[in-house]
mmCIF file of all heavy atoms in Angstrom:
data_model
loop_
_atom_site.group_PDB
_atom_site.id
_atom_site.type_symbol
_atom_site.label_atom_id
_atom_site.label_comp_id
_atom_site.label_asym_id
_atom_site.label_seq_id
_atom_site.Cartn_x
_atom_site.Cartn_y
_atom_site.Cartn_z
ATOM 1 N N LYS B 297 87.879 117.514 3.652
ATOM 2 C CA LYS B 297 88.599 116.750 2.634
ATOM 3 C C LYS B 297 88.856 115.301 3.060
ATOM 4 O O LYS B 297 89.362 114.513 2.264
ATOM 5 C CB LYS B 297 89.929 117.445 2.303
ATOM 6 C CG LYS B 297 89.727 118.754 1.561
ATOM 7 C CD LYS B 297 91.047 119.336 1.080
ATOM 8 C CE LYS B 297 90.772 120.537 0.179
ATOM 9 N NZ LYS B 297 92.023 121.197 -0.245
ATOM 10 N N ASN B 298 88.486 114.977 4.288
ATOM 11 C CA ASN B 298 88.705 113.607 4.798
ATOM 12 C C ASN B 298 88.201 112.534 3.841
ATOM 13 O O ASN B 298 88.840 111.509 3.627
ATOM 14 C CB ASN B 298 87.974 113.402 6.132
ATOM 15 C CG ASN B 298 88.770 113.896 7.335
ATOM 16 O OD1 ASN B 298 88.362 113.688 8.462
ATOM 17 N ND2 ASN B 298 89.897 114.554 7.114
ATOM 18 N N TRP B 299 87.031 112.795 3.265
ATOM 19 C CA TRP B 299 86.409 111.762 2.414
ATOM 20 C C TRP B 299 87.254 111.437 1.198
ATOM 21 O O TRP B 299 87.088 110.386 0.584
ATOM 22 C CB TRP B 299 85.004 112.222 1.984
ATOM 23 C CG TRP B 299 85.019 113.448 1.104
ATOM 24 C CD1 TRP B 299 85.159 114.734 1.504
ATOM 25 C CD2 TRP B 299 84.906 113.484 -0.319
ATOM 26 N NE1 TRP B 299 85.137 115.591 0.429
ATOM 27 C CE2 TRP B 299 84.979 114.844 -0.707
ATOM 28 C CE3 TRP B 299 84.757 112.516 -1.308
ATOM 29 C CZ2 TRP B 299 84.907 115.253 -2.035
ATOM 30 C CZ3 TRP B 299 84.680 112.924 -2.630
ATOM 31 C CH2 TRP B 299 84.755 114.276 -2.989
ATOM 32 N N LYS B 300 88.169 112.354 0.846
ATOM 33 C CA LYS B 300 89.017 112.091 -0.323
ATOM 34 C C LYS B 300 90.230 111.240 0.034
ATOM 35 O O LYS B 300 90.921 110.740 -0.842
ATOM 36 C CB LYS B 300 89.502 113.424 -0.918
ATOM 37 C CG LYS B 300 88.440 114.197 -1.665
ATOM 38 C CD LYS B 300 89.082 115.237 -2.571
ATOM 39 C CE LYS B 300 88.642 115.046 -4.009
ATOM 40 N NZ LYS B 300 89.419 115.826 -4.971
ATOM 41 N N PHE B 301 90.498 111.111 1.328
ATOM 42 C CA PHE B 301 91.699 110.367 1.717
ATOM 43 C C PHE B 301 91.451 108.870 1.636
ATOM 44 O O PHE B 301 90.518 108.339 2.219
ATOM 45 C CB PHE B 301 92.156 110.730 3.129
ATOM 46 C CG PHE B 301 93.462 110.099 3.468
ATOM 47 C CD1 PHE B 301 94.649 110.690 3.058
ATOM 48 C CD2 PHE B 301 93.518 108.880 4.149
ATOM 49 C CE1 PHE B 301 95.873 110.090 3.328
ATOM 50 C CE2 PHE B 301 94.745 108.275 4.424
ATOM 51 C CZ PHE B 301 95.918 108.888 4.013
ATOM 52 N N ASN B 302 92.325 108.206 0.912
ATOM 53 C CA ASN B 302 92.222 106.767 0.756
ATOM 54 C C ASN B 302 93.542 106.154 1.232
ATOM 55 O O ASN B 302 94.598 106.427 0.659
ATOM 56 C CB ASN B 302 91.984 106.474 -0.731
ATOM 57 C CG ASN B 302 92.058 105.005 -1.052
ATOM 58 O OD1 ASN B 302 92.230 104.163 -0.173
ATOM 59 N ND2 ASN B 302 91.929 104.697 -2.327
ATOM 60 N N PRO B 303 93.493 105.362 2.314
ATOM 61 C CA PRO B 303 94.756 104.834 2.856
ATOM 62 C C PRO B 303 95.567 104.084 1.787
ATOM 63 O O PRO B 303 96.797 104.034 1.837
ATOM 64 C CB PRO B 303 94.284 103.874 3.958
ATOM 65 C CG PRO B 303 92.896 104.327 4.317
ATOM 66 C CD PRO B 303 92.315 104.913 3.078
ATOM 67 N N GLY B 304 94.876 103.556 0.786
ATOM 68 C CA GLY B 304 95.562 102.852 -0.303
ATOM 69 C C GLY B 304 96.516 103.762 -1.067
ATOM 70 O O GLY B 304 97.483 103.291 -1.682
ATOM 71 N N ASP B 305 96.260 105.061 -1.021
ATOM 72 C CA ASP B 305 97.142 105.994 -1.733
ATOM 73 C C ASP B 305 98.575 105.940 -1.191
ATOM 74 O O ASP B 305 99.529 106.217 -1.926
ATOM 75 C CB ASP B 305 96.615 107.436 -1.609
ATOM 76 C CG ASP B 305 95.293 107.642 -2.357
ATOM 77 O OD1 ASP B 305 94.850 106.712 -3.061
ATOM 78 O OD2 ASP B 305 94.715 108.745 -2.235
ATOM 79 N N LEU B 306 98.706 105.593 0.096
ATOM 80 C CA LEU B 306 100.057 105.544 0.688
ATOM 81 C C LEU B 306 100.861 104.390 0.105
ATOM 82 O O LEU B 306 102.069 104.513 -0.131
ATOM 83 C CB LEU B 306 99.967 105.450 2.211
ATOM 84 C CG LEU B 306 99.253 106.633 2.881
ATOM 85 C CD1 LEU B 306 99.290 106.477 4.407
ATOM 86 C CD2 LEU B 306 99.873 107.964 2.453
ATOM 87 N N ALA B 307 100.179 103.276 -0.134
ATOM 88 C CA ALA B 307 100.868 102.128 -0.741
ATOM 89 C C ALA B 307 101.326 102.474 -2.155
ATOM 90 O O ALA B 307 102.426 102.092 -2.584
ATOM 91 C CB ALA B 307 99.927 100.906 -0.758
ATOM 92 N N GLU B 308 100.491 103.239 -2.868
ATOM 93 C CA GLU B 308 100.878 103.649 -4.225
ATOM 94 C C GLU B 308 102.059 104.620 -4.165
ATOM 95 O O GLU B 308 102.981 104.541 -4.982
ATOM 96 C CB GLU B 308 99.698 104.312 -4.954
ATOM 97 C CG GLU B 308 98.448 103.443 -5.075
ATOM 98 C CD GLU B 308 98.712 102.084 -5.700
ATOM 99 O OE1 GLU B 308 99.370 102.038 -6.769
ATOM 100 O OE2 GLU B 308 98.301 101.069 -5.103
ATOM 101 N N ARG B 309 102.000 105.508 -3.186
ATOM 102 C CA ARG B 309 103.082 106.489 -3.032
ATOM 103 C C ARG B 309 104.427 105.795 -2.799
ATOM 104 O O ARG B 309 105.470 106.260 -3.290
ATOM 105 C CB ARG B 309 102.754 107.407 -1.848
ATOM 106 C CG ARG B 309 103.821 108.434 -1.514
ATOM 107 C CD ARG B 309 103.324 109.438 -0.490
ATOM 108 N NE ARG B 309 104.401 110.208 0.101
ATOM 109 C CZ ARG B 309 104.985 111.260 -0.487
ATOM 110 N NH1 ARG B 309 104.584 111.649 -1.674
ATOM 111 N NH2 ARG B 309 105.974 111.902 0.107
#
Side-chain angles (χ1 to χ4, degrees):
Chain B
K297 290 188 172 176
N298 276 187
W299 65 280
K300 286 198 124 192
F301 187 83
N302 172 3
D305 292 354
L306 300 183
E308 302 306 311
R309 177 171 165 80

